[in-house]
Amino acid sequence: MKEKPESNEPEAATEAQAAPAPEEAVAPEEASAEAGSETAKLLAELDKAQAQAKDYEDRYLRSMADLDNFRRRAAREKEESRLLANAVLIEELLPALDNFRLGLAAAGNHPEAAEVAKGFEVVAAQLRQVLNGHGLEVIEPAPGEDFDHNLHEAVSQSPSDEIADNKVLTLVRAGYQLNQRLLRPASVVVSSGPAEG
């Protein structure tokens, strides 16, 4: 067998393929400047995106706070409306309650009407119980209690040797409050202290 003579041509071709093609030479300073410029651009965009994200977060938090405040306010107004829904009706009933009280007090002075008065007292107790269930409270200061201008209305002053100055002497008319809201102050006579010599 004859051996083929070795040729250097394929090796030369392989070396030619392996050698990189000449590229445009870039100076290291220019490459560094371009990379720095690109980095600065990216950092500026990042800062802008972070500022925008912070702005969106602030808006979101404010919106959530506003919504929470609105929910609380709506719940409070709903509760107030529920508590005071019957205020007008109860205010119109107050004179009838006063007359009921006066009638029972007058009936107590007549022994012949004791049985009828007892029946009306039961009805009055039921009526008070129903109204108390709706939040109505009677304001009846006893003699000797401090005069409270928030709950009492002084109709007059009178001297008293037993009751100190600026204390309730006599209850003239009961007052009422509905769910801590004053409907009508109690009318009272206030002591002016012992009479002068």
Side-chain angles (χ1 to χ4, degrees), residues 78-104:
K78 182 180 176 183
E79 182 65 13
E80 286 174 3
S81 296
R82 187 188 68 77
L83 291 175
L84 301 175
N86 298 325
V88 174
L89 175 64
I90 290 174
E91 281 185 82
E92 290 178 5
L93 283 175
L94 295 184
L97 292 174
D98 291 337
N99 292 334
F100 215 132
R101 231 176 239 274
L102 291 171
L104 286 172

Short mmCIF file of all heavy atoms in Angstrom, two decimals, residues 78-104:
data_model
loop_
_atom_site.label_atom_id
_atom_site.label_comp_id
_atom_site.label_asym_id
_atom_site.label_seq_id
_atom_site.Cartn_x
_atom_site.Cartn_y
_atom_site.Cartn_z
N LYS A 78 -74.16 55.41 61.60
CA LYS A 78 -75.23 54.41 61.59
C LYS A 78 -75.68 54.10 63.01
O LYS A 78 -76.88 54.02 63.29
CB LYS A 78 -74.74 53.14 60.90
CG LYS A 78 -75.77 52.04 60.79
CD LYS A 78 -75.20 50.83 60.09
CE LYS A 78 -76.20 49.69 60.05
NZ LYS A 78 -75.62 48.49 59.45
N GLU A 79 -74.70 53.95 63.92
CA GLU A 79 -75.03 53.66 65.31
C GLU A 79 -75.77 54.83 65.95
O GLU A 79 -76.74 54.63 66.68
CB GLU A 79 -73.75 53.33 66.09
CG GLU A 79 -73.95 52.97 67.54
CD GLU A 79 -74.74 51.68 67.74
OE1 GLU A 79 -74.93 50.91 66.78
OE2 GLU A 79 -75.17 51.44 68.88
N GLU A 80 -75.31 56.06 65.68
CA GLU A 80 -75.99 57.25 66.22
C GLU A 80 -77.41 57.34 65.70
O GLU A 80 -78.34 57.65 66.45
CB GLU A 80 -75.22 58.52 65.86
CG GLU A 80 -73.95 58.70 66.66
CD GLU A 80 -73.13 59.89 66.19
OE1 GLU A 80 -73.57 60.62 65.26
OE2 GLU A 80 -72.03 60.09 66.74
N SER A 81 -77.60 57.07 64.41
CA SER A 81 -78.94 57.10 63.83
C SER A 81 -79.84 56.07 64.48
O SER A 81 -81.00 56.33 64.79
CB SER A 81 -78.89 56.84 62.33
OG SER A 81 -78.19 57.86 61.69
N ARG A 82 -79.27 54.88 64.72
CA ARG A 82 -80.06 53.82 65.36
C ARG A 82 -80.45 54.21 66.78
O ARG A 82 -81.59 54.04 67.19
CB ARG A 82 -79.26 52.52 65.39
CG ARG A 82 -80.05 51.32 65.88
CD ARG A 82 -79.15 50.11 66.07
NE ARG A 82 -78.21 50.26 67.15
CZ ARG A 82 -78.53 50.15 68.45
NH1 ARG A 82 -79.75 49.90 68.81
NH2 ARG A 82 -77.60 50.29 69.37
N LEU A 83 -79.48 54.79 67.52
CA LEU A 83 -79.75 55.15 68.91
C LEU A 83 -80.74 56.29 69.03
O LEU A 83 -81.53 56.34 69.97
CB LEU A 83 -78.44 55.53 69.62
CG LEU A 83 -77.46 54.39 69.87
CD1 LEU A 83 -76.17 54.92 70.46
CD2 LEU A 83 -78.06 53.33 70.78
N LEU A 84 -80.70 57.22 68.09
CA LEU A 84 -81.55 58.41 68.19
C LEU A 84 -82.77 58.37 67.28
O LEU A 84 -83.46 59.36 67.12
CB LEU A 84 -80.71 59.66 67.91
CG LEU A 84 -79.51 59.86 68.85
CD1 LEU A 84 -78.69 61.04 68.42
CD2 LEU A 84 -79.98 60.01 70.28
N ALA A 85 -83.03 57.21 66.68
CA ALA A 85 -84.15 57.11 65.73
C ALA A 85 -85.48 57.43 66.39
O ALA A 85 -86.37 58.02 65.77
CB ALA A 85 -84.18 55.71 65.12
N ASN A 86 -85.64 57.06 67.65
CA ASN A 86 -86.92 57.26 68.34
C ASN A 86 -86.96 58.55 69.14
O ASN A 86 -87.93 58.77 69.88
CB ASN A 86 -87.18 56.07 69.27
CG ASN A 86 -87.29 54.78 68.51
OD1 ASN A 86 -87.80 54.74 67.39
ND2 ASN A 86 -86.80 53.69 69.10
N ALA A 87 -85.94 59.40 69.02
CA ALA A 87 -85.86 60.60 69.85
C ALA A 87 -87.08 61.51 69.68
O ALA A 87 -87.63 62.00 70.66
CB ALA A 87 -84.58 61.37 69.54
N VAL A 88 -87.52 61.72 68.44
CA VAL A 88 -88.64 62.62 68.19
C VAL A 88 -89.92 62.07 68.84
O VAL A 88 -90.65 62.80 69.53
CB VAL A 88 -88.85 62.84 66.67
CG1 VAL A 88 -90.10 63.64 66.40
CG2 VAL A 88 -87.63 63.51 66.07
N LEU A 89 -90.17 60.80 68.66
CA LEU A 89 -91.36 60.18 69.26
C LEU A 89 -91.32 60.26 70.78
O LEU A 89 -92.30 60.63 71.42
CB LEU A 89 -91.47 58.72 68.81
CG LEU A 89 -92.60 57.91 69.45
CD1 LEU A 89 -93.95 58.47 69.06
CD2 LEU A 89 -92.49 56.45 69.06
N ILE A 90 -90.17 59.95 71.36
CA ILE A 90 -90.06 59.97 72.82
C ILE A 90 -90.21 61.39 73.36
O ILE A 90 -90.86 61.61 74.39
CB ILE A 90 -88.74 59.31 73.27
CG1 ILE A 90 -88.83 57.80 72.99
CG2 ILE A 90 -88.45 59.56 74.73
CD1 ILE A 90 -87.56 57.02 73.24
N GLU A 91 -89.63 62.38 72.66
CA GLU A 91 -89.79 63.77 73.09
C GLU A 91 -91.26 64.19 73.10
O GLU A 91 -91.69 64.93 73.99
CB GLU A 91 -88.99 64.71 72.18
CG GLU A 91 -87.51 64.73 72.50
CD GLU A 91 -86.74 65.73 71.68
OE1 GLU A 91 -86.74 66.92 72.05
OE2 GLU A 91 -86.15 65.33 70.67
N GLU A 92 -92.03 63.70 72.15
CA GLU A 92 -93.46 64.03 72.11
C GLU A 92 -94.23 63.31 73.22
O GLU A 92 -95.31 63.77 73.63
CB GLU A 92 -94.05 63.68 70.74
CG GLU A 92 -93.56 64.62 69.65
CD GLU A 92 -94.09 64.27 68.27
OE1 GLU A 92 -94.92 63.35 68.16
OE2 GLU A 92 -93.66 64.91 67.30
N LEU A 93 -93.69 62.20 73.71
CA LEU A 93 -94.33 61.46 74.81
C LEU A 93 -94.04 62.07 76.18
O LEU A 93 -94.75 61.74 77.15
CB LEU A 93 -93.86 60.01 74.81
CG LEU A 93 -94.47 59.07 73.78
CD1 LEU A 93 -93.79 57.70 73.84
CD2 LEU A 93 -95.96 58.91 74.02
N LEU A 94 -93.04 62.92 76.30
CA LEU A 94 -92.63 63.43 77.61
C LEU A 94 -93.76 64.14 78.36
O LEU A 94 -93.96 63.89 79.55
CB LEU A 94 -91.41 64.33 77.48
CG LEU A 94 -90.12 63.66 77.00
CD1 LEU A 94 -88.96 64.64 77.01
CD2 LEU A 94 -89.79 62.42 77.81
N PRO A 95 -94.54 65.03 77.73
CA PRO A 95 -95.65 65.65 78.48
C PRO A 95 -96.67 64.63 78.99
O PRO A 95 -97.19 64.77 80.10
CB PRO A 95 -96.29 66.59 77.44
CG PRO A 95 -95.21 66.87 76.46
CD PRO A 95 -94.40 65.62 76.39
N ALA A 96 -96.93 63.59 78.20
CA ALA A 96 -97.85 62.54 78.65
C ALA A 96 -97.28 61.81 79.86
O ALA A 96 -98.00 61.49 80.82
CB ALA A 96 -98.15 61.56 77.52
N LEU A 97 -95.97 61.56 79.87
CA LEU A 97 -95.33 60.93 81.02
C LEU A 97 -95.42 61.82 82.26
O LEU A 97 -95.67 61.34 83.38
CB LEU A 97 -93.86 60.61 80.72
CG LEU A 97 -93.59 59.53 79.66
CD1 LEU A 97 -92.10 59.45 79.36
CD2 LEU A 97 -94.11 58.19 80.14
N ASP A 98 -95.23 63.13 82.06
CA ASP A 98 -95.36 64.08 83.18
C ASP A 98 -96.76 64.03 83.76
O ASP A 98 -96.94 64.00 84.99
CB ASP A 98 -95.04 65.50 82.72
CG ASP A 98 -93.57 65.69 82.37
OD1 ASP A 98 -92.73 64.91 82.87
OD2 ASP A 98 -93.27 66.60 81.59
N ASN A 99 -97.77 64.04 82.89
CA ASN A 99 -99.16 64.03 83.36
C ASN A 99 -99.48 62.71 84.07
O ASN A 99 -100.23 62.69 85.06
CB ASN A 99 -100.13 64.26 82.20
CG ASN A 99 -100.02 65.67 81.66
OD1 ASN A 99 -99.63 66.59 82.38
ND2 ASN A 99 -100.34 65.85 80.39
N PHE A 100 -98.93 61.63 83.58
CA PHE A 100 -99.11 60.33 84.22
C PHE A 100 -98.57 60.38 85.65
O PHE A 100 -99.21 59.93 86.61
CB PHE A 100 -98.35 59.26 83.42
CG PHE A 100 -99.03 57.92 83.39
CD1 PHE A 100 -99.18 57.24 82.19
CD2 PHE A 100 -99.49 57.31 84.55
CE1 PHE A 100 -99.78 56.00 82.14
CE2 PHE A 100 -100.09 56.07 84.52
CZ PHE A 100 -100.24 55.41 83.31
N ARG A 101 -97.38 60.96 85.80
CA ARG A 101 -96.74 61.09 87.10
C ARG A 101 -97.59 61.93 88.05
O ARG A 101 -97.78 61.57 89.22
CB ARG A 101 -95.39 61.79 86.88
CG ARG A 101 -94.22 61.14 87.45
CD ARG A 101 -93.02 61.98 87.00
NE ARG A 101 -92.11 61.19 86.25
CZ ARG A 101 -91.15 60.47 86.81
NH1 ARG A 101 -91.01 60.48 88.10
NH2 ARG A 101 -90.36 59.74 86.09
N LEU A 102 -98.04 63.08 87.53
CA LEU A 102 -98.86 63.98 88.36
C LEU A 102 -100.17 63.30 88.79
O LEU A 102 -100.62 63.44 89.93
CB LEU A 102 -99.16 65.28 87.60
CG LEU A 102 -97.97 66.20 87.37
CD1 LEU A 102 -98.35 67.34 86.42
CD2 LEU A 102 -97.44 66.75 88.69
N GLY A 103 -100.77 62.57 87.85
CA GLY A 103 -102.02 61.87 88.17
C GLY A 103 -101.81 60.82 89.25
O GLY A 103 -102.63 60.69 90.17
N LEU A 104 -100.74 60.07 89.16
CA LEU A 104 -100.46 59.05 90.18
C LEU A 104 -100.17 59.69 91.53
O LEU A 104 -100.58 59.17 92.58
CB LEU A 104 -99.29 58.17 89.74
CG LEU A 104 -99.62 57.16 88.63
CD1 LEU A 104 -98.35 56.48 88.14
CD2 LEU A 104 -100.62 56.12 89.13
#
